[in-house]
Amino acid sequence: MPKSKVRKKKDYTINPANRTPVKVNAGPSPIWYVALMLGFMVVGLLWLIVYYLAADDIAFIGNLGAYNFLIGFGFMVVGLVMTMRWR
């Protein structure tokens, strides 16, 4: 039986023209950004705690029902998304 030919693969080389440096704005985040980010997370946590403990005493929170979870976790998610831009 005849032997099949072995194909030689070309070596992979990176084209240096495609590697352009990117300037990164690497300054630290301002203090108000960090405070706002943590504030959103704390407000979301407090909203859920107040909902569980005082939903019967506070009328508008009790009327929202399950939307309280959306509001509380929504605040926390906004804070967590802000952490991606934190330096």
Side-chain angles (χ1 to χ4, degrees), residues 7 9 14 18 21 28 34 41 46 48 56 69 74-75 84:
R7 296 180 186 159
K9 293 183 180 180
I14 298 174
N18 291 339
V34 177
M41 289 189 264
L46 289 176
L48 292 175
D56 297 332
F69 294 112
F75 276 120
M84 289 189 274

Side-chain angles (χ1 to χ4, degrees), residues 42-61:
V42 169
V43 165
L45 180 65
L46 289 176
W47 187 280
L48 292 175
I49 290 172
V50 168
Y51 169 64
Y52 274 116
L53 297 178
D56 297 332
D57 298 332
I58 303 172
F60 77 93
I61 289 182

